[in-house]
Short mmCIF file of all heavy atoms in Angstrom, two decimals:
data_model
loop_
_atom_site.label_atom_id
_atom_site.label_comp_id
_atom_site.label_asym_id
_atom_site.label_seq_id
_atom_site.Cartn_x
_atom_site.Cartn_y
_atom_site.Cartn_z
N THR D 8 -2.59 -1.29 -10.59
CA THR D 8 -2.52 -2.81 -10.52
C THR D 8 -3.10 -3.29 -11.84
O THR D 8 -2.71 -4.39 -12.24
CB THR D 8 -3.30 -3.44 -9.35
OG1 THR D 8 -4.56 -2.90 -9.22
CG2 THR D 8 -2.57 -2.95 -7.91
N VAL G 13 -14.19 4.47 10.32
CA VAL G 13 -13.00 5.18 10.87
C VAL G 13 -11.84 5.01 9.93
O VAL G 13 -11.27 3.92 9.71
CB VAL G 13 -12.75 4.75 12.27
CG1 VAL G 13 -11.65 5.48 12.88
CG2 VAL G 13 -13.94 4.84 13.19
N GLY G 14 -11.37 6.17 9.44
CA GLY G 14 -10.26 6.22 8.55
C GLY G 14 -10.78 6.77 7.21
O GLY G 14 -11.46 5.98 6.49
N ALA G 15 -10.39 7.84 6.90
CA ALA G 15 -11.02 8.58 5.59
C ALA G 15 -9.95 8.68 4.58
O ALA G 15 -9.45 9.64 4.16
CB ALA G 15 -11.37 9.92 5.95
N SER G 16 -9.48 7.40 4.21
CA SER G 16 -8.53 7.47 2.98
C SER G 16 -9.05 6.52 1.94
O SER G 16 -10.32 6.39 1.76
CB SER G 16 -7.31 6.90 3.68
OG SER G 16 -6.17 7.03 2.61
N LEU G 17 -8.13 5.68 1.27
CA LEU G 17 -8.59 4.92 0.20
C LEU G 17 -9.60 3.88 0.48
O LEU G 17 -10.72 3.83 -0.10
CB LEU G 17 -7.33 4.27 -0.50
CG LEU G 17 -7.55 3.35 -1.62
CD1 LEU G 17 -8.01 4.06 -2.81
CD2 LEU G 17 -6.34 2.61 -1.97
N ALA G 18 -9.45 3.01 1.58
CA ALA G 18 -10.28 1.97 1.98
C ALA G 18 -11.63 2.67 2.44
O ALA G 18 -12.76 2.15 2.07
CB ALA G 18 -9.72 1.09 3.00
N GLY G 19 -11.55 3.75 3.32
CA GLY G 19 -12.78 4.27 3.82
C GLY G 19 -13.68 4.97 2.83
O GLY G 19 -14.86 4.70 2.70
N VAL G 38 -14.93 9.06 9.64
CA VAL G 38 -14.02 9.82 10.52
C VAL G 38 -12.69 9.75 10.08
O VAL G 38 -12.11 8.74 9.84
CB VAL G 38 -14.23 9.38 12.09
CG1 VAL G 38 -13.16 10.02 12.98
CG2 VAL G 38 -15.62 9.25 12.57
N GLY G 39 -12.04 10.92 10.02
CA GLY G 39 -10.59 10.84 9.64
C GLY G 39 -9.70 11.85 10.34
O GLY G 39 -10.15 13.02 10.54
N ASP G 40 -8.52 11.34 10.86
CA ASP G 40 -7.76 12.27 11.74
C ASP G 40 -7.08 13.34 10.91
O ASP G 40 -6.47 14.41 11.39
CB ASP G 40 -6.91 11.50 12.69
CG ASP G 40 -5.91 10.57 12.04
OD1 ASP G 40 -5.81 10.59 10.87
OD2 ASP G 40 -5.03 10.03 12.76
N GLU G 41 -6.83 13.01 9.59
CA GLU G 41 -6.05 14.03 8.76
C GLU G 41 -7.22 15.14 8.43
O GLU G 41 -8.38 14.86 8.25
CB GLU G 41 -5.49 13.38 7.46
CG GLU G 41 -4.42 12.37 7.69
CD GLU G 41 -3.82 11.84 6.52
OE1 GLU G 41 -3.05 12.61 5.91
OE2 GLU G 41 -4.06 10.77 6.10
N ARG G 48 -2.01 8.04 -2.02
CA ARG G 48 -0.62 8.19 -1.59
C ARG G 48 0.45 7.68 -2.53
O ARG G 48 1.55 8.28 -2.55
CB ARG G 48 -0.54 7.18 -0.20
CG ARG G 48 -1.37 7.78 0.94
CD ARG G 48 -1.26 6.92 2.15
NE ARG G 48 -2.42 7.10 2.81
CZ ARG G 48 -2.69 8.18 3.71
NH1 ARG G 48 -1.61 8.95 4.01
NH2 ARG G 48 -3.74 8.33 4.39
N PRO G 49 0.17 6.79 -3.35
CA PRO G 49 1.33 6.25 -4.25
C PRO G 49 1.89 7.44 -5.08
O PRO G 49 3.13 7.52 -5.26
CB PRO G 49 0.63 5.25 -5.26
CG PRO G 49 -0.36 4.66 -4.27
CD PRO G 49 -0.99 5.77 -3.54
N LEU G 51 2.59 10.32 -4.08
CA LEU G 51 3.44 11.06 -3.16
C LEU G 51 4.87 10.73 -3.25
O LEU G 51 5.85 11.63 -3.15
CB LEU G 51 3.09 10.88 -1.63
CG LEU G 51 1.51 11.20 -1.36
CD1 LEU G 51 1.29 10.99 0.12
CD2 LEU G 51 1.26 12.73 -1.76
N SER G 52 5.26 9.41 -3.52
CA SER G 52 6.61 9.21 -3.66
C SER G 52 7.13 9.02 -5.17
O SER G 52 8.32 8.76 -5.52
CB SER G 52 6.90 7.79 -3.12
OG SER G 52 6.06 6.83 -3.57
N LYS G 53 6.21 9.45 -6.13
CA LYS G 53 6.46 9.43 -7.54
C LYS G 53 6.30 10.86 -8.09
O LYS G 53 7.22 11.65 -7.98
CB LYS G 53 5.62 8.35 -8.10
CG LYS G 53 5.71 6.99 -7.54
CD LYS G 53 4.75 6.01 -8.04
CE LYS G 53 4.83 4.60 -7.34
NZ LYS G 53 4.19 4.55 -6.07
N VAL G 81 -10.35 14.90 13.01
CA VAL G 81 -10.65 14.36 14.44
C VAL G 81 -10.39 12.87 14.45
O VAL G 81 -10.80 12.22 13.62
CB VAL G 81 -12.10 14.78 14.77
CG1 VAL G 81 -13.24 14.20 13.99
CG2 VAL G 81 -12.36 14.32 16.33
N ALA G 82 -9.49 12.48 15.52
CA ALA G 82 -9.17 11.05 15.52
C ALA G 82 -10.20 10.29 16.45
O ALA G 82 -10.83 10.87 17.38
CB ALA G 82 -7.84 11.04 16.14
N ALA G 83 -10.41 9.09 16.08
CA ALA G 83 -11.14 8.22 17.02
C ALA G 83 -10.15 7.81 18.07
O ALA G 83 -9.06 7.41 17.77
CB ALA G 83 -11.67 6.89 16.20
N THR G 84 -10.60 7.71 19.30
CA THR G 84 -9.70 7.53 20.38
C THR G 84 -10.08 6.16 21.06
O THR G 84 -9.28 5.67 21.86
CB THR G 84 -9.67 8.58 21.42
OG1 THR G 84 -11.04 8.83 21.92
CG2 THR G 84 -8.98 9.82 20.78
N ALA G 109 -10.80 1.31 9.17
CA ALA G 109 -9.97 1.45 7.96
C ALA G 109 -8.89 2.50 8.37
O ALA G 109 -8.69 3.44 7.58
CB ALA G 109 -10.85 1.88 6.77
N THR G 110 -8.23 2.26 9.42
CA THR G 110 -7.27 3.28 9.85
C THR G 110 -5.85 3.04 9.40
O THR G 110 -4.96 3.93 9.70
CB THR G 110 -7.26 3.38 11.44
OG1 THR G 110 -7.13 2.02 11.94
CG2 THR G 110 -8.50 3.97 11.99
N GLY G 111 -5.68 2.04 8.52
CA GLY G 111 -4.38 1.92 7.85
C GLY G 111 -3.08 2.02 8.67
O GLY G 111 -3.02 1.36 9.69
N THR G 112 -2.03 2.58 8.09
CA THR G 112 -0.74 2.67 8.75
C THR G 112 -0.13 3.99 8.74
O THR G 112 -0.71 4.88 8.14
CB THR G 112 0.22 1.70 8.06
OG1 THR G 112 0.50 2.23 6.83
CG2 THR G 112 -0.26 0.28 7.90
N LEU G 131 7.64 9.50 5.08
CA LEU G 131 6.83 9.75 3.88
C LEU G 131 5.48 8.89 4.03
O LEU G 131 5.83 7.71 3.64
CB LEU G 131 7.61 9.55 2.66
CG LEU G 131 6.85 9.84 1.42
CD1 LEU G 131 6.23 11.22 1.35
CD2 LEU G 131 7.64 9.60 0.20
N ARG G 132 4.47 9.42 4.45
CA ARG G 132 3.19 8.63 4.50
C ARG G 132 2.03 9.58 4.10
O ARG G 132 1.07 9.19 3.35
CB ARG G 132 2.99 7.92 5.82
CG ARG G 132 1.68 7.26 5.93
CD ARG G 132 1.83 5.87 5.37
NE ARG G 132 0.48 5.27 5.16
CZ ARG G 132 0.25 4.08 4.46
NH1 ARG G 132 1.34 3.43 4.05
NH2 ARG G 132 -0.88 3.55 4.16
N THR G 159 9.38 2.13 -0.76
CA THR G 159 9.29 3.50 -0.68
C THR G 159 10.65 4.30 -0.67
O THR G 159 10.90 5.21 -1.44
CB THR G 159 8.51 3.99 0.65
OG1 THR G 159 7.36 3.25 0.71
CG2 THR G 159 8.50 5.44 0.87
N GLU G 162 11.93 4.22 -4.29
CA GLU G 162 11.32 5.21 -5.14
C GLU G 162 11.80 6.75 -4.83
O GLU G 162 12.00 7.59 -5.72
CB GLU G 162 9.77 5.14 -4.90
CG GLU G 162 9.32 3.87 -5.50
CD GLU G 162 7.66 3.82 -5.49
OE1 GLU G 162 6.99 4.78 -4.91
OE2 GLU G 162 7.05 2.75 -5.94
N ASN G 249 -2.22 1.49 12.53
CA ASN G 249 -2.81 2.38 13.48
C ASN G 249 -3.90 1.60 14.26
O ASN G 249 -5.09 1.81 13.99
CB ASN G 249 -3.51 3.54 12.64
CG ASN G 249 -2.46 4.44 12.06
OD1 ASN G 249 -1.42 4.83 12.81
ND2 ASN G 249 -2.63 4.91 10.85
N TRP G 252 -5.83 2.96 19.06
CA TRP G 252 -7.23 3.51 19.63
C TRP G 252 -7.93 2.30 19.93
O TRP G 252 -9.08 2.46 20.48
CB TRP G 252 -7.80 4.39 18.48
CG TRP G 252 -8.23 3.65 17.23
CD1 TRP G 252 -7.35 3.35 16.30
CD2 TRP G 252 -9.50 3.34 16.84
NE1 TRP G 252 -8.15 2.77 15.14
CE2 TRP G 252 -9.35 2.75 15.50
CE3 TRP G 252 -10.81 3.54 17.33
CZ2 TRP G 252 -10.58 2.49 14.83
CZ3 TRP G 252 -11.86 3.07 16.71
CH2 TRP G 252 -11.70 2.47 15.40
N ALA G 287 -10.95 -3.17 6.83
CA ALA G 287 -10.41 -3.32 5.46
C ALA G 287 -9.15 -2.51 5.30
O ALA G 287 -9.01 -1.52 6.07
CB ALA G 287 -11.49 -2.75 4.44
N GLY G 288 -8.29 -2.79 4.30
CA GLY G 288 -7.29 -2.04 3.96
C GLY G 288 -5.88 -2.34 4.79
O GLY G 288 -5.86 -3.43 5.35
N ASP G 289 -4.96 -1.52 4.83
CA ASP G 289 -3.65 -1.82 5.38
C ASP G 289 -3.72 -2.21 6.87
O ASP G 289 -2.86 -2.86 7.26
CB ASP G 289 -2.79 -0.58 5.24
CG ASP G 289 -2.22 -0.28 3.82
OD1 ASP G 289 -2.66 -0.97 2.93
OD2 ASP G 289 -1.32 0.54 3.77
N VAL G 290 -4.76 -1.92 7.56
CA VAL G 290 -4.86 -2.06 9.00
C VAL G 290 -5.23 -3.60 9.21
O VAL G 290 -5.25 -4.11 10.37
CB VAL G 290 -5.61 -1.16 9.71
CG1 VAL G 290 -7.18 -1.34 9.53
CG2 VAL G 290 -5.35 -1.09 11.28
N GLU G 306 0.29 -4.06 2.48
CA GLU G 306 0.24 -2.67 2.35
C GLU G 306 0.21 -2.44 0.88
O GLU G 306 1.04 -1.96 0.23
CB GLU G 306 1.43 -2.08 2.95
CG GLU G 306 1.55 -2.30 4.41
CD GLU G 306 2.96 -2.05 4.98
OE1 GLU G 306 3.78 -1.07 4.48
OE2 GLU G 306 3.43 -2.66 5.88
N HIS G 307 -0.98 -2.68 0.28
CA HIS G 307 -1.17 -2.68 -1.10
C HIS G 307 -2.36 -1.89 -1.50
O HIS G 307 -3.40 -2.16 -1.04
CB HIS G 307 -1.29 -4.00 -1.89
CG HIS G 307 -0.20 -5.01 -1.70
ND1 HIS G 307 -0.16 -6.29 -2.17
CD2 HIS G 307 1.06 -4.73 -1.22
CE1 HIS G 307 1.06 -6.78 -2.00
NE2 HIS G 307 1.80 -5.93 -1.37
N TRP G 308 -2.21 -0.86 -2.35
CA TRP G 308 -3.38 -0.15 -2.78
C TRP G 308 -4.49 -0.88 -3.28
O TRP G 308 -5.71 -0.74 -2.92
CB TRP G 308 -2.77 0.76 -4.04
CG TRP G 308 -3.62 1.91 -4.50
CD1 TRP G 308 -3.63 3.12 -4.00
CD2 TRP G 308 -4.75 1.76 -5.44
NE1 TRP G 308 -4.44 3.95 -4.68
CE2 TRP G 308 -5.12 3.12 -5.63
CE3 TRP G 308 -5.23 0.79 -6.15
CZ2 TRP G 308 -6.18 3.47 -6.47
CZ3 TRP G 308 -6.24 1.11 -7.08
CH2 TRP G 308 -6.65 2.38 -7.32
N GLY G 309 -4.15 -2.01 -4.22
CA GLY G 309 -5.39 -2.75 -4.85
C GLY G 309 -6.05 -3.57 -3.71
O GLY G 309 -7.24 -3.75 -3.93
N ALA G 311 -6.61 -2.52 -0.54
CA ALA G 311 -7.35 -1.67 0.16
C ALA G 311 -8.76 -1.51 -0.66
O ALA G 311 -9.81 -1.53 0.00
CB ALA G 311 -6.74 -0.34 0.32
N THR G 337 -1.73 -7.97 -5.26
CA THR G 337 -1.13 -7.39 -6.45
C THR G 337 -0.49 -6.16 -6.08
O THR G 337 -1.13 -5.32 -5.23
CB THR G 337 -2.04 -7.12 -7.65
OG1 THR G 337 -2.89 -8.31 -7.69
CG2 THR G 337 -1.38 -6.85 -8.88
N PHE G 338 0.70 -5.78 -6.50
CA PHE G 338 1.39 -4.47 -6.06
C PHE G 338 2.15 -4.11 -7.33
O PHE G 338 2.55 -4.77 -8.07
CB PHE G 338 2.29 -4.94 -5.01
CG PHE G 338 3.12 -3.70 -4.42
CD1 PHE G 338 2.62 -2.98 -3.55
CD2 PHE G 338 4.45 -3.45 -5.03
CE1 PHE G 338 3.34 -1.92 -2.94
CE2 PHE G 338 5.19 -2.44 -4.44
CZ PHE G 338 4.63 -1.59 -3.56
N TRP G 339 2.41 -2.75 -7.35
CA TRP G 339 3.25 -2.17 -8.48
C TRP G 339 4.15 -1.14 -7.84
O TRP G 339 3.90 -0.53 -6.69
CB TRP G 339 2.43 -1.52 -9.55
CG TRP G 339 1.96 -0.14 -9.23
CD1 TRP G 339 2.79 1.00 -9.51
CD2 TRP G 339 0.92 0.34 -8.44
NE1 TRP G 339 2.19 2.06 -9.02
CE2 TRP G 339 1.09 1.74 -8.33
CE3 TRP G 339 -0.19 -0.22 -7.84
CZ2 TRP G 339 0.13 2.42 -7.66
CZ3 TRP G 339 -1.01 0.45 -7.17
CH2 TRP G 339 -0.99 1.83 -7.09
N SER G 340 5.29 -0.88 -8.45
CA SER G 340 6.16 0.21 -8.09
C SER G 340 6.79 0.69 -9.37
O SER G 340 7.26 -0.15 -10.15
CB SER G 340 7.29 -0.35 -7.01
OG SER G 340 8.23 0.65 -6.82
C1 FAD H 501 4.50 7.09 -0.40
C2 FAD H 501 3.67 5.83 -0.65
C3 FAD H 501 3.82 5.22 -1.88
C4 FAD H 501 2.92 4.05 -2.10
N1 FAD H 501 2.99 3.36 -3.29
C5 FAD H 501 2.36 2.30 -3.54
C6 FAD H 501 2.42 1.69 -4.80
O1 FAD H 501 3.26 2.10 -5.66
N2 FAD H 501 1.81 0.59 -4.97
C7 FAD H 501 0.85 0.04 -4.06
O2 FAD H 501 0.21 -1.01 -4.32
N3 FAD H 501 0.68 0.63 -2.93
C8 FAD H 501 1.34 1.81 -2.64
N4 FAD H 501 1.31 2.47 -1.36
C9 FAD H 501 0.36 1.94 -0.37
C10 FAD H 501 -0.89 2.45 -0.56
O3 FAD H 501 -1.03 3.77 -0.55
C11 FAD H 501 -1.85 1.83 0.73
O4 FAD H 501 -1.94 0.50 0.62
C12 FAD H 501 -3.15 2.54 0.94
O5 FAD H 501 -3.05 3.84 1.15
C13 FAD H 501 -3.94 1.91 2.03
O6 FAD H 501 -5.23 2.52 2.22
P1 FAD H 501 -5.93 2.46 3.57
O7 FAD H 501 -7.17 3.34 3.36
O8 FAD H 501 -6.10 1.03 4.08
O9 FAD H 501 -4.91 3.18 4.61
P2 FAD H 501 -4.32 4.56 4.75
O10 FAD H 501 -4.23 5.18 3.41
O11 FAD H 501 -3.27 4.35 5.69
O12 FAD H 501 -5.52 5.46 5.52
C14 FAD H 501 -5.74 5.25 6.82
C15 FAD H 501 -6.41 6.63 7.18
O13 FAD H 501 -6.98 6.56 8.52
C16 FAD H 501 -6.52 7.72 9.37
N5 FAD H 501 -6.45 7.22 10.80
C17 FAD H 501 -5.58 6.43 11.49
N6 FAD H 501 -5.92 6.37 12.71
C18 FAD H 501 -6.96 7.04 12.86
C19 FAD H 501 -7.91 7.34 14.04
N7 FAD H 501 -7.59 6.74 15.18
N8 FAD H 501 -9.01 8.04 13.82
C20 FAD H 501 -9.30 8.60 12.72
N9 FAD H 501 -8.55 8.39 11.57
C21 FAD H 501 -7.50 7.72 11.68
C22 FAD H 501 -5.10 7.95 8.82
O14 FAD H 501 -4.55 9.22 9.14
C23 FAD H 501 -5.28 7.69 7.36
O15 FAD H 501 -5.82 9.01 6.75
C24 FAD H 501 2.03 3.58 -1.08
C25 FAD H 501 2.06 4.20 0.13
C26 FAD H 501 2.75 5.30 0.36
C27 FAD H 501 2.73 6.06 1.60
#
Side-chain angles (χ1 to χ4, degrees):
Chain D
T8 54
Chain G
V13 182
S16 183
L17 182 62
V38 181
D40 61 359
E41 294 186 78
R48 293 178 205 276
L51 300 180
S52 55
K53 304 174 183 77
V81 57
T84 51
T110 46
T112 65
L131 182 58
R132 179 81 199 172
T159 306
E162 288 182 5
N249 292 318
W252 68 284
D289 282 12
V290 75
E306 295 166 34
H307 293 180
W308 191 96
T337 314
F338 180 86
W339 85 91
S340 168

